[in-house]
Amino acid sequence: MSAGTQSSAIDPDDTMKILIASDVHLGYNEKDVIRGEDSFIAFEEVLQHALENDVDAVILGGDLFHIANPSTNTLNRCTRLLKTYMLGDKPIKLEFLSDQNENFLESTVNYEDPNMNIAIPVFSIHGNHDDPSGFGRISSLDLLSTNGYVNYFGKWTDLTKINISPILLKKGETKLALYGLSYISDARLARLFNEAKVFLEKPEDAGWFNIMVLHQNRADRGPKNYLPEKSLPGFLDLVIWGHEHDCRIIPEENPAKKFYVSQPGSTVATSLAEGESIDKCCGILSIHKSLFRLDPIKLQTVRPFVFETVNLAEFADELQLDEGDVQQKVQNFAAEKVEEMIERAKGKLTGNQKQPKLPLIRLRIEVTEVEQQFNAIRFGQGYSGRVANPQDMVTFKRKITRVKDELKPLDKDALNEAYQNQREATAKRAEEVVHRYFKEADPDKQLEVLSAKSMTELTRRMVDYEDDDAAENIIKFYERQAMAHLDAVADAINEDNIDEVLAGFHEKEKDTYNDMLKMLDSRSQKRGDPNPPRGSFDDDDDDFGLKPKSRNNSTSSSMAAPQAPTTTRGGRGSRGGRGSRATANSSTTGRGRGSRGGRGASTSKIDSFLVSAASPAKTSTRASGRNISKVVYISDEDDD
């Protein structure tokens, strides 16, 4: 179908215009005098594009805030921006057709609230940075929803199963079914998929354009540490994928399921990863019945960022690294590269008055010898006032050339030693540090009641999930268990045998620890905690790192078993920027044109169409009723 033919057939009153963005990370590095404003400036530009393009709604893919409990300054600035750009007298053109009690836990769609004056409704899920935490499991998005600024959807309090009921919106002849899946640990989500406990409810009648918004690992980071696209149902038309920070906003078709995936990426660089240096964008999604197009908008207020990796071995002859002051030679080489990168960064200046001028520079130098490295912090001090990140501008990555040796029989002891060395070298997570401390601590510094495993679980929940109640809950639980044990043998206790009595308590530590996990999980589910438990220990776990302290500083022989490896938690990743390295547009051609084969459509879903100027707006129509009947289970098979 030609563009001219389409323009005559498409009525703007039947076309939804939606601005999409993700991973805004408001409040990132907000106390930094140089970079503290970056996240707010970029978010304001996103809202300006929504206003200027007269969109019907805004969809955010999670991580609106950088932390779950943002500062009052961040919350205040966010609400001011939403109040400035999203409130107004413009009539809403979207009819809301689904059951609001199914779509929103404790609120209604904000533009049907008589106390609010919404001009552009915002729909948002939460991500791993702004997920519910602390007392009551309240997210920062809950606060925005309560105050009517955001329609917060896709939040799950019962993580034993997931049943997603879509938000049903209609504009003229175009009908949209919007599914939301806020962040859930990839490991837990994988388990729910494997146990057939994830469902999507599909509208009963035909003609719906189906969009799913989610916030998970997209890049393969190991088994159960990402969400494979093939797990999603084939009846979807478009997936808006948050969490990954590199911008791949041009829709890419999944060859197996035939839906398209748009990955908006972040609007601010939260790490100096290569994926973060890709141009930042938001996009205008236009939907007309079964057709859609997505027009990227390059953000003009994003701080320039140039990333480059240099393999020093390729310049070894030129630099004569086998003689003289090698370190100084490498430092001079790095200075030349940094100057080149600063010049390239000037090409990313857009002329926008609000765009920060000092660039982010990251030069990663791959070296083969330690002698080739220089003091990067001291080197960066010379660029203060010229770059935004002088303290971490240069990093080194050591590349080791491995020589093949003759094949030898496997030495099991050598393999175990190598594994242990590797484990010790990579044990950098906070809970592993705590675990190793209590394992290696002097006898007089060992725990008497709590176990090392309980302390690692406490550390994990406080560091990874910012659970402020974990310490109180765990300590009180162990106190109750220890007192119950002592009460049971109260008649036999005296000052001389207290250590032996406590040793009896420690002998059933595995059961106590697993009961503690059940208690924590129960509290988490009641409060809507989206994060996974550590899980109970099997019979193969032979030690909890617990060595009760006795009054003569000797260690109880009943706990002399070797230390069990700390369980590795998956699915959350670092709390910095994500930025996967996959290349963009791997399966699209042009602006996403191409046939949606196998779906029985005569024209492409992403076929380009022209949208003329909008006619006078219509007021919103209130509707009730579910209008949903068919339940569809998500599996690896196409549910089309």
Side-chain angles (χ1 to χ4, degrees), residues 354-493:
K354 291 188 176 182
Q355 183 186 27
K357 302 302 186 292
L358 293 181
L360 293 169
I361 300 294
R362 169 51 66 88
L363 175 62
R364 184 169 62 190
I365 303 177
E366 296 178 346
V367 301
T368 56
E369 304 292 339
V370 176
E371 291 76 14
Q372 297 171 351
Q373 300 180 202
F374 55 84
N375 190 319
I377 297 178
R378 185 181 303 166
F379 174 80
Q381 290 175 351
Y383 291 87
S384 296
R386 298 187 61 197
V387 301
N389 61 314
Q391 70 283 356
D392 55 2
M393 185 174 58
V394 177
T395 62
F396 295 95
K397 180 180 180 182
R398 190 176 179 189
K399 297 192 69 174
I400 301 176
T401 304
R402 302 186 183 276
V403 180
K404 290 186 178 180
D405 199 356
E406 296 180 3
L407 292 177
K408 298 179 180 179
L410 292 176
D411 186 339
K412 186 174 294 186
D413 293 336
L415 286 176
N416 290 337
E417 182 180 359
Y419 172 77
Q420 182 64 24
N421 292 338
Q422 180 184 12
R423 180 172 182 79
E424 291 179 359
T426 57
K428 297 179 180 179
R429 294 191 307 149
E431 60 262 40
E432 292 186 356
V433 174
V434 172
H435 196 124
R436 290 171 60 195
Y437 171 82
F438 285 110
K439 176 186 175 183
E440 300 169 3
D442 296 334
D444 60 340
K445 295 182 180 179
Q446 294 290 348
L447 298 168
E448 293 190 47
V449 177
L450 294 174
S451 70
K453 288 291 185 183
S454 67
M455 296 304 294
T456 60
E457 178 66 13
L458 167 61
T459 306
R460 184 181 74 88
R461 290 179 181 262
M462 293 185 67
V463 173
D464 288 346
Y465 305 138
E466 300 181 10
D467 186 350
D468 299 332
D469 302 321
E472 180 180 2
N473 291 333
I474 290 175
I475 292 173
K476 285 185 176 180
F477 176 82
Y478 268 86
E479 180 184 1
R480 290 194 300 269
Q481 296 295 317
M483 290 302 299
H485 175 77
L486 295 176
D487 287 343
V489 292
D491 296 338
I493 299 177

Side-chain angles (χ1 to χ4, degrees), residues 234-255:
F235 74 84
L236 294 174
D237 297 300
L238 178 65
V239 177
I240 299 175
W241 206 298
H243 189 53
E244 303 285 4
H245 278 209
D246 52 325
C247 181
R248 296 165 60 183
I249 197 168
I250 300 293
E252 304 169 12
E253 185 178 21
N254 181 280

Side-chain angles (χ1 to χ4, degrees), residues 25 66 129 245 270-271 276 574-578:
H25 287 272
H66 185 63
H129 281 258
H245 278 209
T270 60
S271 71
E276 295 272 23
S574 66
R575 294 188 67 88
R578 305 294 304 178

Side-chain angles (χ1 to χ4, degrees), residues 254-274:
N254 181 280
K257 293 301 184 72
K258 301 302 179 183
F259 53 67
Y260 286 86
V261 179
S262 174
Q263 180 178 302
S266 65
T267 60
V268 62
T270 60
S271 71
L272 299 180
E274 186 173 5

Side-chain angles (χ1 to χ4, degrees), residues 310-378:
V310 176
N311 185 354
L312 206 59
E314 298 176 359
F315 300 88
D317 295 337
E318 176 184 341
L319 298 177
Q320 298 180 351
L321 297 179
D322 56 348
E323 61 182 30
D325 191 343
V326 176
Q327 190 178 91
Q328 186 61 46
K329 290 180 180 180
V330 176
Q331 183 168 326
N332 294 339
F333 174 76
E336 294 179 4
K337 282 293 181 182
V338 168
E339 291 295 338
E340 294 175 5
M341 296 170 72
I342 292 176
E343 287 300 314
R344 282 157 48 195
K346 293 179 181 178
K348 292 192 172 187
L349 293 176
T350 63
N352 191 298
Q353 293 183 351
K354 291 188 176 182
Q355 183 186 27
K357 302 302 186 292
L358 293 181
L360 293 169
I361 300 294
R362 169 51 66 88
L363 175 62
R364 184 169 62 190
I365 303 177
E366 296 178 346
V367 301
T368 56
E369 304 292 339
V370 176
E371 291 76 14
Q372 297 171 351
Q373 300 180 202
F374 55 84
N375 190 319
I377 297 178
R378 185 181 303 166

